[in-house]
Amino acid sequence: MNEYDPESIEKKWQYRWEGSELHRAKIDENKESFYIIFAYPGISGYLHLGHMRCYTYTDFMARYKRMRGYNVLFPAGAHPTGNQVISLAKRVRENDPRIIAYLKANGATDDDISQLDNPEGVIEYFTQTYMNEWKNFGLSIDFDHFTDTSREDYSRFIQWQFKKLKDKGLLTQKPYYAPVCKNCGPVAVDPSETDLSKGGNAEVQEYTLLKFRFGQRYITAATLRPETVYGQTNLWVDPQEDFAVVDVSGEEWIMSDAAAKKLGCQMEEVEVVDHIKGKEMIGDKATAPMIHRDIPVLPANFTDPYVGSGIVTSVPSDAPYDRIALKELKSDGERLKKYGLEELVEDVEPIEIIESKDWGTNPAEKIIHEMGIESQDEVEKLEEATQKIYRAGFHAGTMLNICGDYAGMPVQEAKDMVRKEMIEKGEADMFYDLSEEVICRCGGEVVMGKIPDQWFIRYSDEELTEKSKEHARTMNIRPDTYANTLPDTLEWFQDRSCARLGNWIGTRFPMDDRWIIEAIADSTLYPAYYVVAKYFNSGKLNASEMTEAFFDFVYLGKGEVDDVSSSTGIDRRTLQEIRRDFMYWYPLDINLGGKEHMTVHFPVFLMNHVAILDRENWPRGIMVNWYLTMTGGKISKSKGGADPIPDVAERFGIDTLRLYYAHSASPFVDKEWNENEAMNYKKRLGVVWRTVTKMKDTGGGGSPVDEYLRSRFNRLLARSQNFMDDYSIRKAANVVFYDVPAEIDWYFKRGGENGALLDEIGENWVKLMAPFTPHMADELGEQFGTEYVTARLLPRVDEYAISEIVESREEYLKGVMNDVKNILDIAKVKGEAIFIYVTSEWKRTVIERVLAEPDKGMGLMSALVDELGVTPKKISGFLRYVLDELKTNREGLEKARELNELKILEGDKKFLEGEFGAKVEIYSASEDAYDPAGKKDKAMPGKPAIYIE
RNA sequence: GCGAGGGUAGCCAAGCAUGGCCAAAGGCGCAGGACUUAAGAUCCUGUCACGUAGGUGUCCGAGGGUUCAAAUCCCUUCCCUCGCACCA
């Protein structure tokens, strides 16, 4: 027969599947439905092998369930919501050489590229590309249900969803602070974010802006540690700097110009009315918040106008910077004199406020001493010291007695309470900033801005949270670790902003069309929409007909069909058909997605279902897959680093890649892509191919090993199905592609050649392969005379074929062969003749008696001595051994008891002689036989004695 | 920081829930052989150490403990990876 040629096979079958109805889901009330999706991809570039891992797992399950008799719906879609598509189009329009090279490397033609200079073109091109790649991977997707989130019909659905959320009181508006670009509006600050040109690693800092009364004005100082206000001793101001005087709702606040600008984005009515030089403030006093003490303003040069307010409140007990600056100042006579501070500085000493186990009550002093810090210019060391003290203080610190109402309280608790009290009393305010400079792709600066009327979905709602948690516990969630953590995640899940102002792709907010619904929020309930999308795609529905009444009827069963029909213009039959479709396919059985979704998509996916749909339609399962990585990091669409899929597919073959996904690692660990390993899977498929070929070409008669193969195959068949039912994809693939062929090899080795049996098992084996390597399976199936093995049912386990005794016979034989090999290895004998002595019958009798009365122990001795006619010494020795074995290996004893060893070995004498190229003689230890080394007595049931010469 | 997961032989990777046929599956790599050749082949054998008889010793990040018995259970400790919200 022919050689394994993946390329031609895969093309052939993909073409045939495409022309068939095999993957189209049709309602069949006689079949149980199984509805599975993968989390659809956002459109930001080409798919890579990491995505395909997730999609392929979905296909394994879809194909497996189909072959187990379920009616499977497996749709797909794409998610262009957001600004990735817009920015990609913009870069193409600007002829960005990097993006052009990326597109070309992935096979885009000049024609394609010319189409990509506008968002619509990008969406069109990539949705087509994705669909092609899915088809090329042999995914059994029903494309009749395809949708993407930029389409008008999808928007109709999302608007309905948000109306429902509004009706349930789950939408709310409140102020929100977020990174914004002046030109582009809100932006995400994230290392993988393509819309930033700088500062992706920045973190949002939540400062408390302390207000120090300073005459008619206030000096402001921003701190991350509001609880340390009890230890304030002075303020630090850079005498070289100029500061702005800002009018904030009638009060005058002093801060750096940069801070004033930032504050302007976070508060209304902020206006710079004056300026003041830093040195003008030096030596004066200001009244500190909370402690209401007058503290001096002292000169320092470590302050930074771009951090906080540019002015620092000094807590020398807990802040290494402050401690060292104070020391330096005190010993700098010249400077003290210059500003006339000699007396003022005398009383400024650290005030102990917090105690922690590791750092005592004066941590700053301790750490600068330990780290040998001598100057405020040693920035790196000081940053490290600050971090250390901050962590220790926050987690292990306790407020000391001096801290008023908060004395004795852990720092963790005191922190928020102190801040709250000061804000309520008007002595402080919130101030948000980014930890480093962030620049938008457009070149504009990104700052923290206040959005006063941000829309949120109220995921904090108690009833919703409780219902979702309760339901999550009943769901089928893989892996188990996620099943355990999901309820907790739901618990801490807070309100989440769900819309944004400005221009990007998405659905207009139905209550206020200045807003566009955000990307996480418009992709929670979409499995419900796939069902409807089919009717839109086929032209049976148009978007304008998708009214609130329509969706209410389809998803909630609300309203009379006649009313809905007349209000929407959709005919009754279509309405009823869609409703029936929805009720047939829903609920969703599995939502499969990458681990990045664990704290993002999956919780909101679940909560929106619970919030909006009836209980019977809440999702049943979630499966999370881990990443495929490339040396070091996760593969990223935005950063490239992954080979274009068509190239890889051509080199390895699709079935190879599919087997690689299935078998090289469990779905629940990260896996590093390894070409060498992938190559080995290609070889493995070659081996499988040849084995099947050999099975088909062998046509002999029956033999005793037939029973064994039948037993083993059925056992493995059952095992593989148990694994698949348990989502243990890797284990199932291991059985199918390694364990089964190993048994078939053994069968051939033992001289098996039963043509009918091999045909039967061969075809059944091919069916087992089908979910994993469908192209190869259909090709091999066809050679057995079955068209579309992938569309058949998996074979049923024949329980009667499974036989312990038949299998243990072969195990026994393997054991004996292993012992012989062992001896041949170590004992340097020629191995021309092998003598095997099977145990004496009396030993078997001892085992019988022990198994019959296991509690009697050595008490069995006297009866045995009478009965067996063997010397008591031999009996007691063996009995002791058996009693010992009984504790650890009862099963082994039971098996040994049942074997007719002599018969097995006699039957396979020729085989053994062939294997070892030696003469084999078999005796019972009870008979008188050639035994020059006195081995006979060593024979045990299940383990014969062996002598070789 | 918060939360989760993990460290098993040269590498990848099972096993751990339910302690005992666990020197620890399987794959890769490596070595030797067979075959016969240009194929990224295939097949067999070996691959912790020692051992001229199927055995013994040591071993599952490190250190303790429980137990007749620990890769598996408990405690301590070191190291690694990942997710953390307006990014999909």
Side-chain angles (χ1 to χ4, degrees):
Chain A
M1 205 210 265
N2 43 1
E3 280 294 300
Y4 176 47
D5 174 16
E7 209 179 328
S8 67
I9 291 174
E10 284 160 9
K11 291 236 162 64
K12 166 182 167 187
W13 288 99
Q14 282 170 15
Y15 179 76
R16 285 177 63 174
W17 292 337
E18 174 116 34
S20 76
E21 297 282 309
L22 289 181
H23 304 147
R24 294 230 166 79
K26 277 193 215 75
I27 286 200
D28 179 347
E29 298 288 356
N30 298 317
K31 278 182 164 180
E32 202 177 324
S33 76
F34 186 84
Y35 183 13
I36 182 168
I37 63 161
F38 54 73
Y40 53 23
I43 294 184
S44 60
Y46 295 93
L47 300 176
H48 53 63
L49 288 173
H51 296 101
M52 297 319 283
R53 184 181 190 191
C54 167
Y55 309 149
T56 304
Y57 285 141
T58 316
D59 193 53
F60 292 153
M61 295 314 297
R63 286 182 179 275
Y64 173 72
K65 287 291 179 181
R66 241 181 242 125
M67 294 182 76
R68 286 302 294 270
Y70 290 88
N71 196 14
V72 172
L73 174 59
F74 174 20
H79 188 210
T81 306
N83 51 13
Q84 308 241 48
V85 164
I86 296 173
S87 82
L88 200 143
K90 193 170 154 218
R91 288 165 73 188
V92 171
R93 207 158 51 237
E94 288 163 357
N95 245 314
D96 180 335
R98 271 180 50 212
I99 202 80
I100 302 293
Y102 166 70
L103 291 164
K104 287 195 167 163
N106 281 277
T109 62
D110 288 337
D111 251 14
D112 292 333
I113 293 172
S114 70
Q115 172 204 325
L116 298 178
D117 63 357
N118 63 87
E120 293 71 28
V122 171
I123 293 170
E124 169 67 20
Y125 171 76
F126 277 105
T127 50
Q128 277 308 321
T129 305
Y130 292 177
M131 282 195 264
N132 288 336
E133 289 187 347
W134 290 333
K135 285 175 191 166
N136 286 339
F137 249 75
L139 303 186
S140 56
I141 293 170
D142 180 352
F143 287 101
D144 289 352
H145 294 267
F146 187 85
T147 191
D148 84 65
T149 59
S150 70
R151 302 192 329 190
E152 196 194 345
D153 56 315
Y154 192 89
S155 282
R156 290 278 179 156
F157 165 67
I158 294 301
Q159 292 190 331
W160 172 80
Q161 179 189 346
F162 274 77
K163 279 182 204 147
K164 295 302 114 178
L165 290 171
K166 183 86 168 65
D167 291 348
K168 309 241 173 197
L170 290 169
L171 291 180
T172 185
Q173 277 181 294
K174 58 187 179 185
Y176 181 61
Y177 296 88
V180 286
C181 164
K182 287 251 168 62
N183 311 321
C184 308
V187 294
V189 175
D190 183 276
S192 68
E193 178 52 49
T194 46
D195 295 328
L196 296 179
S197 64
K198 191 184 167 197
N201 288 310
E203 284 175 31
V204 175
Q205 308 272 26
E206 256 186 36
Y207 287 103
T208 305
L209 192 66
L210 302 170
K211 290 157 66 180
F212 298 75
R213 187 162 263 293
F214 185 63
Q216 291 306 304
R217 293 170 165 170
Y218 292 93
I219 293 176
T220 60
T223 178
L224 291 168
R225 302 194 60 187
E227 76 281 7
T228 62
V229 289
Y230 289 99
Q232 297 177 101
T233 59
N234 61 288
L235 284 161
W236 295 116
V237 168
D238 187 340
Q240 312 295 326
E241 286 285 339
D242 275 2
F243 292 88
V245 179
V246 186
D247 184 311
V248 180
S249 314
E251 291 180 355
E252 290 190 349
W253 297 4
I254 297 168
M255 64 186 69
S256 68
D257 277 309
K261 221 168 124 192
K262 289 174 192 164
L263 199 65
C265 305
Q266 293 174 29
M267 290 181 174
E268 294 96 56
E269 296 178 51
V270 173
E271 196 189 341
V272 177
V273 291
D274 198 358
H275 276 86
I276 180 170
K277 291 193 184 311
K279 64 182 174 209
E280 287 176 42
M281 292 184 271
I282 308 290
D284 286 343
K285 289 195 167 183
T287 313
M290 195 60 138
I291 54 176
H292 307 127
R293 258 199 325 269
D294 290 346
I295 59 172
V297 179
L298 300 177
N301 46 25
F302 70 89
T303 64
D304 181 342
Y306 295 100
V307 174
S309 68
I311 298 169
V312 171
T313 184
S314 169
V315 184
S317 55
D318 286 67
Y321 268 111
D322 299 341
R323 185 73 195 98
I324 200 80
L326 186 59
K327 277 181 192 256
E328 276 192 86
L329 181 64
K330 282 194 176 195
S331 60
D332 187 346
E334 207 176 306
R335 199 171 203 191
L336 290 175
K337 203 169 158 195
K338 181 176 170 191
Y339 294 105
L341 301 171
E342 292 98 329
E343 272 179 48
L344 203 55
V345 143
E346 264 174 34
D347 296 337
V348 181
E349 280 299 325
I351 301 168
E352 298 178 355
I353 50 167
I354 288 169
E355 177 168 23
S356 70
K357 207 178 92 199
D358 293 341
W359 297 99
T361 56
N362 199 349
E365 177 70 33
K366 190 170 174 193
I367 200 163
I368 62 173
H369 183 72
E370 275 184 18
M371 293 179 68
I373 300 169
E374 284 172 359
S375 150
Q376 52 189 307
D377 299 326
E378 295 177 63
V379 174
E380 260 177 47
K381 279 188 179 175
L382 279 165
E383 284 299 327
E384 191 193 331
T386 304
Q387 284 289 321
K388 273 193 184 166
I389 297 298
Y390 179 82
R391 271 186 207 141
F394 183 72
H395 291 284
T398 310
M399 310 293 286
L400 294 175
N401 281 340
I402 198 167
C403 304
D405 294 345
Y406 304 97
M409 207 182 263
V411 169
Q412 261 184 70
E413 285 174 36
K415 182 176 180 150
D416 289 337
M417 294 173 75
V418 171
R419 171 166 56 205
K420 197 165 164 238
E421 184 183 334
M422 289 191 293
I423 291 174
E424 277 168 6
K425 288 183 175 164
E427 295 179 352
D429 223 309
M430 289 306 292
F431 178 69
Y432 296 87
D433 202 1
L434 291 155
S435 61
E436 56 184 273
E437 190 178 30
V438 181
I439 304 293
C440 179
R441 169 160 289 282
C442 77
E445 192 186 353
V446 174
V447 294
M448 293 300 294
K450 178 181 182 180
I451 303 156
D453 52 355
Q454 173 69 48
W455 286 96
F456 287 84
I457 298 177
R458 288 186 45 246
Y459 292 119
S460 63
D461 184 81
E462 261 184 56
E463 191 192 337
L464 176 59
T465 302
E466 275 316 306
K467 277 159 86 177
S468 304
K469 275 167 68 179
E470 197 183 304
H471 183 66
R473 291 197 189 93
T474 69
M475 287 171 73
N476 187 5
I477 296 173
R478 296 307 150 102
D480 291 345
T481 50
Y482 187 53
N484 295 333
T485 54
L486 180 59
D488 293 339
T489 306
L490 293 166
E491 181 65 44
W492 64 251
F493 219 84
Q494 291 305 302
D495 295 352
R496 196 179 161 116
S497 67
C498 60
R500 65 187 243 173
L501 298 166
N503 217 353
W504 75 352
I505 292 178
T507 298
R508 293 270 163 203
F509 201 70
M511 270 59 75
D512 180 348
D513 67 8
R514 292 176 305 137
W515 295 84
I516 288 176
I517 291 164
E518 169 277 336
I520 305 295
D522 82 347
S523 54
T524 57
L525 208 58
Y526 67 94
Y529 187 68
Y530 279 135
V531 177
V532 176
K534 179 176 169 182
Y535 292 87
F536 176 81
N537 292 341
S538 67
K540 278 193 179 173
L541 270 181
N542 58 58
S544 64
E545 292 167 335
M546 298 182 177
T547 62
E548 185 172 358
F550 166 74
F551 286 118
D552 279 351
F553 180 78
V554 171
Y555 293 134
L556 304 174
K558 269 167 60 177
E560 291 303 320
V561 66
D562 290 323
D563 299 342
V564 179
S565 175
S566 61
S567 81
T568 58
I570 307 166
D571 67 81
R572 292 181 76 240
R573 254 198 33 231
T574 305
L575 277 171
Q576 280 165 329
E577 201 183 330
I578 300 174
R579 169 70 180 162
R580 195 195 54 181
D581 257 21
F582 174 71
M583 290 306 283
Y584 177 77
W585 295 115
Y586 244 64
L588 182 73
D589 290 281
I590 300 180
N591 185 354
L592 210 157
K595 65 177 173 178
E596 74 274 23
H597 295 304
M598 288 197 290
T599 53
V600 185
H601 166 65
F602 289 134
V604 297
F605 150 76
L606 175 56
M607 284 173 123
N608 277 278
H609 274 81
V610 169
I612 295 170
L613 298 183
D614 297 327
R615 185 179 290 266
E616 61 182 314
N617 289 322
W618 294 354
R620 287 205 183 117
I622 292 174
M623 177 165 163
V624 186
N625 71 279
W626 264 235
Y627 294 140
L628 188 75
T629 60
M630 305 273 299
T631 42
K634 98 178 186 193
I635 304 175
S636 144
K637 276 186 286 189
S638 49
K639 288 189 199 129
D643 288 330
I645 287 179
D647 299 358
V648 182
E650 200 176 313
R651 258 188 312 149
F652 297 98
I654 293 300
D655 282 335
T656 295
L657 292 173
R658 292 176 61 111
L659 181 59
Y660 178 88
Y661 289 130
H663 188 260
S664 74
S666 133
F668 315 126
V669 293
D670 286 330
K671 170 69 195 174
E672 190 157 328
W673 166 246
N674 181 329
E675 288 205 354
N676 239 353
E677 220 178 307
M679 207 60 223
N680 286 316
Y681 283 107
K682 190 174 186 179
K683 291 182 202 164
R684 168 60 29 178
L685 286 181
V687 171
V688 168
W689 178 275
R690 276 190 298 277
T691 306
V692 173
T693 303
K694 185 173 173 190
M695 292 169 85
K696 209 179 72 69
D697 293 346
T698 305
S703 72
V705 231
D706 292 356
E707 265 189 305
Y708 171 76
L709 182 60
R710 203 185 285 282
S711 176
R712 287 303 293 170
F713 183 79
N714 276 284
R715 191 186 291 280
L716 292 174
L717 173 64
R719 191 177 294 170
S720 75
Q721 294 185 359
N722 289 339
F723 284 144
M724 281 307 270
D725 290 338
D726 191 43
Y727 301 72
S728 297
I729 290 168
R730 183 181 193 275
K731 292 179 180 178
N734 196 59
V735 170
V736 175
F737 292 92
Y738 292 89
D739 295 347
V740 169
E743 294 299 351
I744 292 166
D745 281 351
W746 175 252
Y747 176 79
F748 281 130
K749 189 172 182 173
R750 295 278 281 113
E753 53 176 18
N754 184 333
L757 177 69
L758 286 168
D759 278 355
E760 177 200 322
I761 286 183
E763 190 176 348
N764 282 340
W765 181 28
V766 167
K767 285 179 185 162
L768 289 185
M769 299 173 200
F772 302 104
T773 56
H775 311 85
M776 181 165 140
D778 263 346
E779 180 68 22
L780 287 171
E782 195 178 51
Q783 297 184 12
F784 277 111
T786 305
E787 194 191 22
Y788 295 135
V789 159
T790 50
R792 309 285 153 196
L793 291 180
L794 286 171
R796 294 183 52 159
V797 178
D798 179 1
E799 295 286 349
Y800 296 105
I802 299 175
S803 160
E804 289 290 345
I805 187 75
V806 166
E807 290 184 23
S808 58
R809 253 176 5 214
E810 292 299 303
E811 288 306 313
Y812 171 72
L813 187 67
K814 284 180 190 173
V816 173
M817 288 172 71
N818 207 30
D819 281 348
V820 171
K821 253 180 231 153
N822 242 325
I823 296 168
L824 285 171
D825 280 349
I826 6 173
K828 307 231 159 84
V829 291
K830 284 187 190 157
E832 281 168 353
I834 301 167
F835 302 86
I836 303 176
Y837 311 94
V838 171
T839 183
S840 312
E841 267 313 300
W842 68 264
K843 287 185 178 169
R844 215 179 288 280
T845 312
V846 172
I847 293 179
E848 298 273 1
R849 295 287 181 277
V850 169
L851 286 172
E853 295 176 282
D855 298 331
K856 266 199 164 176
M858 293 304 283
L860 288 163
M861 262 307 279
S862 56
L864 286 168
V865 172
D866 292 345
E867 185 184 349
L868 297 175
V870 183
T871 61
K873 201 177 167 191
K874 282 187 179 175
I875 296 176
S876 76
F878 185 68
L879 181 58
R880 217 167 269 135
Y881 163 81
V882 173
L883 290 169
D884 221 43
E885 282 286 287
L886 188 68
K887 276 192 262 176
T888 61
N889 187 18
R890 186 181 183 126
E891 215 176 304
L893 287 178
E894 280 167 358
K895 272 187 191 165
R897 177 181 60 174
E898 290 180 18
L899 288 173
N900 187 338
E901 301 179 42
L902 212 50
K903 195 173 157 205
I904 295 168
L905 293 173
E906 283 293 353
D908 291 318
K909 195 168 137 181
K910 281 229 173 66
F911 170 67
L912 291 172
E913 289 186 332
E915 283 296 305
F916 292 107
K919 209 177 111 203
V920 173
E921 292 195 20
I922 293 147
Y923 303 104
S924 164
S926 344
E927 66 184 293
D928 202 16
Y930 174 70
D931 180 21
K935 294 279 176 191
K936 275 195 329 192
D937 274 354
K938 291 201 169 168
M940 299 278 187
K943 197 168 172 67
I946 296 163
Y947 171 70
I948 303 175
E949 60 185 28

